[in-house]
Amino acid sequence: MNRIQQKLQEDKKLLSIYFTAGYPNLNDTVTIIENLEKSGVDMIEIGLPFSDPLADGPTIQASSTQALKNGMTTEILFQQLKDIRKTVSIPLIIMGYFNPILQYGVEAFCEKCAEIGIDGLIIPDLPVDVYHEEYEALFNQYNLINTFLITPQTSDERIKYIDSISKGFIYMVSSAGVTGAKNSFGSAQTDYFKRIADLNLNAPQIVGFGISNTETFKAATQYAKGAIIGSAFIKFLKENGTEKTSEFATFVR
Amino acid sequence: MSYHVNEKGYYGEFGGAYIPEMLYPNVEELRQNYLKIMAEPDFQKEFNQLLKDYVGRPSPLYFASRLSKKHNTKIYLKREDLNHTGAHKVNNTIGQILMAKRLGKTRIIAETGAGQHGVATATVCALMGIQCVVYMGEIDIARQAPNVARMKMLGAEVVAATSGSKTLKDATNEAIRDWINNPVDTHYIIGSVVGPHPYPDMVARFQSVVSEEIKKQLLTHEGTEFPNHVIACVGGGSNAAGAFYHFLDEEKVNLIAVEAAGHGVDSGESAATSILGKEGIIHGSKTLLMQTKDGQITEPYSISAGLDYPGVGPLHAHLFKTGRAEFIAITDDQAMTAGMELTKLEGIIPAIESSHAFAVLKEKQFQPEDIVIINLSGRGDKDLDTYIKHFNL
Ligand SMILES: Cc1ncc(COP(=O)(O)O)c(C=O)c1O
């Protein structure tokens, strides 16, 4: 069984953290991952920075630009992660846009992920159908779980289709919009969380986009299996630096 | 060989819809409806009426006798510069605003480089009384000031894109993000044959009126519907798509796509995508784009804001790959010289984008009996500052 699947079976609400690799400094990647695990984070999304992150708000855009300026590349990220499984055992997911993966070579990329011990990928601009037709077999071969997004606008029919090809969790985008921290959720979000919960999907749902603090984490996980924090953590890194990473998780839970 | 989009949204290996799930409902709604709506008699009627009475179509096909003499061949200019708002862009915005209305959308967003598409969008929004937001790179706002003022007069909100190279690519990113943030009431009027399927096909169809008219007009001028060559500049590729459209399957018509070489193809400051680009994904489409070995999209350069784009529409990537169209790269200097030549010989000041197409006349020898059509995609009013600086006028 894949580490993501194992984690999803644990009887608790999961806290997952996204960060952009190469930010704030090129070589912070491993430190951030180790600190997050120590502080009780359940799962980590390692962002492979991209020049044109279409689905991201200003915070993640800025961190991606900085990471690229710092010199981050796909090759360097793999180098940094090469021994990560000696110290870290929670699920690790690489989140990145499709073009850098395409240029690396999708198969070569999958092979490298498997070698390092990456458990899954989130590729926001790789459409479900294209994945299903062209890449699913490859991902299976390397025991990588691909994760798909749904939004409040996704139809029930499409959600069920996505559920049917999801091997791990469904990434539930909290509200219509790009990434970015919010302080609270309105009734539209809670209704949506409940509507999805009532669909009784096979794949557990983890809510992302707009989670920033205890309040939003609690609201999101009332119905869902877990929540993902991205922009708020990037802001924390910017203000507090890498050393204090472990304080962040405590602050949320 | 087909040069038209297939049912999955591809031209050969290029195209598709590589979009985040957040955009899926919008793009899917458009995909399912665009052909149906375009075929409705009521849509056709309104579209054609507006093209005629509001845009001023058909645009003339003008035999440029002095230019022809100079280059010893028969040159006709398709006068898209005479359209209302001064470029071909309005053909597409008229079509898309009618589409948006039929889809029940109440807010329009657009990206713009030179400002021509922004102006054409702001214009149709004023015409229809619909809210309009235009994203424009900070650098382009500075170099296309008259168009910014026009958009504001027309009631559009112009939002500066301040990320990346602060030009067309970044304005497009911002427009896409806006669409993600406003998934229900908003229609995104893309300004070229780029973006996820069905945009490249839809925009090409709206622009195809250009070659439809050329065929009819050439028949009266020359007794044939088919020229030997059709030349058009390519930023994203919409004016070229329009000028090529009805000739795509006529292999005897040579299609020439002109890209901006900027300071030179090897200078590191260029926008010649077919030469410098590799297959990849930009703005939701699999196509040729300029990028690093690592797949980061690189910042293009051209003196002309409308050609300053690191990608090219998937139709053009396909035309390049199959060899159906010939691709020629023209530098800033060559374009400026050609623009001045047209001005002096024919009394027409072209947009600098279009000047790139005219520069081909010096690069390529045509036969005296050849019929050469140049798509004069826009007029040069917006570029006066650049012309003044370049020639110390
Ligand atoms: C006059 C003119 N020609 C050409 C272009 C390039 O766009 P496309 O390649 O889509 O025709 C522009 C874009 O702004 C333009 O204003």
Side-chain angles (χ1 to χ4, degrees):
Chain A
M1 203 191 287
N2 179 298
R3 283 183 203 92
I4 297 172
Q5 291 164 329
Q6 266 167 6
K7 182 56 87 176
L8 290 167
Q9 288 183 351
E10 287 181 17
D11 184 23
K12 65 189 276 210
K13 300 292 183 183
L14 305 179
L15 171 62
S16 184
I17 299 273
Y18 166 94
F19 75 99
T20 306
Y23 179 86
N25 307 296
L26 180 62
N27 293 314
D28 286 345
T29 314
V30 173
T31 318
I32 292 175
I33 295 172
E34 289 177 352
N35 285 350
L36 286 176
E37 173 168 53
K38 273 182 215 139
S39 66
V41 165
D42 295 296
M43 193 156 62
I44 297 175
E45 274 133 55
I46 305 162
L48 176 64
F50 182 48
S51 55
D52 295 76
L54 287 182
D56 286 300
T59 307
I60 294 182
Q61 278 176 51
S63 68
S64 304
T65 306
Q66 186 59 47
L68 292 172
K69 271 198 196 130
N70 292 345
M72 184 49 86
T73 64
T74 312
E75 202 59 69
I76 290 176
L77 178 60
F78 284 143
Q79 267 301 318
Q80 292 176 343
L81 294 176
K82 117 175 125 28
D83 294 324
I84 198 72
R85 283 303 173 199
K86 291 190 178 145
T87 53
V88 172
S89 61
I90 56 175
L92 297 176
I93 294 172
I94 290 185
M95 181 160 185
Y97 288 81
F98 194 37
N99 198 49
I101 298 173
L102 206 55
Q103 299 314 317
Y104 195 88
V106 181
E107 168 136 33
F109 194 92
C110 289
E111 196 181 336
K112 201 79 195 179
C113 285
E115 197 181 300
I116 290 168
I118 296 294
D119 307 292
L121 295 170
I122 303 174
I123 309 168
D125 58 344
L126 174 61
V128 184
D129 294 317
V130 177
Y131 167 76
H132 193 46
E133 281 168 33
E134 295 180 31
Y135 301 111
E136 190 169 347
L138 199 61
F139 278 52
N140 288 344
Q141 186 189 330
Y142 291 100
N143 195 20
L144 288 168
I145 288 183
N146 194 25
T147 298
F148 308 103
L149 278 56
I150 62 169
T151 82
Q153 273 70 43
T154 313
S155 68
D156 284 2
E157 187 193 346
R158 188 166 168 83
I159 292 174
K160 282 175 189 156
Y161 165 60
I162 287 172
D163 187 41
S164 73
I165 62 169
S166 293
K167 296 205 169 64
F169 62 94
I170 289 177
Y171 192 134
M172 211 171 128
V173 176
S174 66
S175 50
V178 296
T179 56
K182 287 190 179 60
N183 287 323
S184 64
F185 287 128
S187 60
Q189 270 92 42
T190 358
D191 289 351
Y192 158 62
F193 297 158
K194 186 156 178 346
R195 175 168 72 84
I196 302 303
D198 289 345
L199 288 176
N200 285 317
L201 303 172
N202 290 317
Q205 304 96 53
I206 300 194
V207 180
F209 290 35
I211 315 288
S212 66
N213 51 21
T214 315
E215 189 189 338
T216 42
F217 181 79
K218 284 234 170 75
T221 53
Q222 188 186 346
Y223 297 104
K225 177 69 185 166
I228 302 168
I229 299 183
S231 298
F233 180 64
I234 307 270
K235 276 191 190 142
F236 180 91
L237 280 179
K238 185 175 176 188
E239 283 155 19
N240 303 285
T242 313
E243 312 78 52
K244 298 204 178 148
T245 315
S246 46
E247 288 172 22
F248 185 76
T250 341
F251 153 76
V252 174
R253 285 245 212 208
Chain B
M1 178 67 66
S2 168
Y3 302 108
H4 294 274
V5 81
N6 68 19
E7 67 293 345
K8 287 191 151 176
Y10 286 83
Y11 300 86
E13 63 201 90
F14 301 109
Y18 293 80
I19 46 168
E21 187 63 30
M22 291 81 102
L23 286 178
Y24 180 84
N26 274 324
V27 172
E28 182 62 11
E29 178 185 35
L30 195 59
R31 189 186 69 81
Q32 285 183 4
N33 291 297
Y34 81 110
L35 291 176
K36 211 163 51 196
I37 290 177
M38 284 176 76
E40 284 167 8
D42 162 68
F43 180 94
Q44 282 294 323
K45 183 159 171 260
E46 199 177 352
F47 181 56
N48 291 326
Q49 192 81 43
L50 283 170
L51 287 187
K52 178 167 172 284
D53 298 335
Y54 188 71
V55 175
R57 303 205 72 91
S59 68
L61 185 69
Y62 164 69
F63 176 64
S65 61
R66 297 188 71 208
L67 193 66
S68 294
K69 195 153 175 227
K70 170 96 192 275
H71 292 283
N72 195 24
T73 190
K74 283 195 277 187
I75 302 167
Y76 286 87
L77 311 185
K78 182 58 174 163
R79 298 294 306 274
E80 293 300 299
D81 60 316
L82 294 178
N83 292 340
H84 178 44
T85 70
H88 67 292
K89 297 283 180 188
V90 71
N91 304 325
N92 169 45
T93 60
I94 294 268
Q96 285 205 49
I97 197 79
L98 297 179
M99 181 72 60
K101 271 176 62 175
R102 279 159 179 79
L103 292 171
K105 306 293 176 177
T106 55
R107 179 174 175 271
I108 296 295
I109 54 170
E111 85 296 339
T112 195
Q116 285 307 108
H117 174 60
V119 167
T121 304
T123 298
V124 296
C125 286
L127 178 68
M128 300 291 170
I130 295 183
Q131 186 194 351
C132 179
V133 179
V134 179
Y135 291 89
M136 187 168 187
E138 206 169 46
I139 290 183
D140 293 336
I141 287 184
R143 63 178 162 174
Q144 304 286 338
N147 274 343
V148 177
R150 289 163 83 195
M151 285 185 270
K152 287 186 178 159
M153 267 187 84
L154 290 159
E157 182 191 346
V158 181
V159 180
T162 56
S163 57
S165 56
K166 305 179 175 64
T167 60
L168 183 52
K169 159 176 94 83
D170 313 283
T172 308
N173 290 342
E174 288 306 327
I176 292 175
R177 289 184 188 117
D178 180 309
W179 210 19
I180 291 175
N181 289 333
N182 297 282
V184 180
D185 63 343
T186 298
H187 175 73
Y188 176 19
I189 300 191
I190 293 186
S192 193
V193 286
V194 300
H197 177 66
Y199 276 105
D201 184 48
M202 180 173 69
V203 176
R205 284 169 189 263
F206 286 140
Q207 290 293 357
S208 69
V209 63
V210 175
S211 48
E212 191 184 315
E213 288 174 5
I214 292 175
K215 282 175 87 173
K216 282 190 206 137
Q217 292 166 323
L218 198 61
L219 192 61
T220 33
H221 280 289
E222 294 279 347
T224 173
E225 294 186 325
F226 302 108
N228 301 89
H229 307 272
V230 180
I231 309 177
C233 67
V234 173
S238 66
N239 86 86
F244 294 171
Y245 198 86
H246 290 283
F247 302 118
L248 287 171
D249 299 321
E250 301 290 341
E251 304 270 352
K252 62 179 183 276
V253 179
N254 184 36
L255 307 176
I256 302 175
V258 186
E259 294 182 310
H263 291 145
V265 169
D266 300 319
S267 67
E269 289 179 289
S270 177
T273 307
S274 69
I275 301 171
L276 299 171
K278 262 192 67 192
E279 278 167 37
I281 290 173
I282 181 169
H283 297 140
S285 181
K286 187 180 263 186
T287 187
L288 294 171
L289 63 132
M290 290 163 52
Q291 52 184 315
T292 65
K293 172 173 124 302
D294 227 34
Q296 308 297 342
I297 301 177
T298 47
E299 329 238 296
Y301 164 81
S302 166
I303 192 169
S304 129
L307 305 184
D308 203 350
Y309 184 69
V312 66
L315 163 64
H316 296 290
H318 183 55
L319 294 179
F320 176 74
K321 188 90 186 238
T322 57
R324 174 67 189 92
E326 183 178 350
F327 280 68
I328 296 180
I330 293 296
T331 63
D332 288 0
D333 285 344
Q334 289 172 308
M336 296 306 279
T337 305
M340 189 54 109
E341 180 184 80
L342 179 69
T343 306
K344 291 285 193 297
L345 288 178
E346 298 288 347
I348 298 171
I349 303 175
I352 298 173
E353 289 80 10
S354 319
S355 297
H356 285 73
F358 284 87
V360 168
L361 293 171
K362 265 200 186 155
E363 294 308 297
K364 221 178 131 70
Q365 190 55 56
F366 298 102
Q367 298 304 312
E369 63 284 1
D370 276 357
I371 301 170
V372 179
I373 306 243
I374 301 181
N375 198 29
L376 178 42
S377 58
R379 57 179 177 244
D381 308 31
K382 69 180 175 64
D383 295 317
L384 281 186
D385 266 359
T386 314
Y387 279 121
I388 289 166
K389 279 203 198 95
H390 191 84
F391 292 107
N392 289 316
L393 300 171

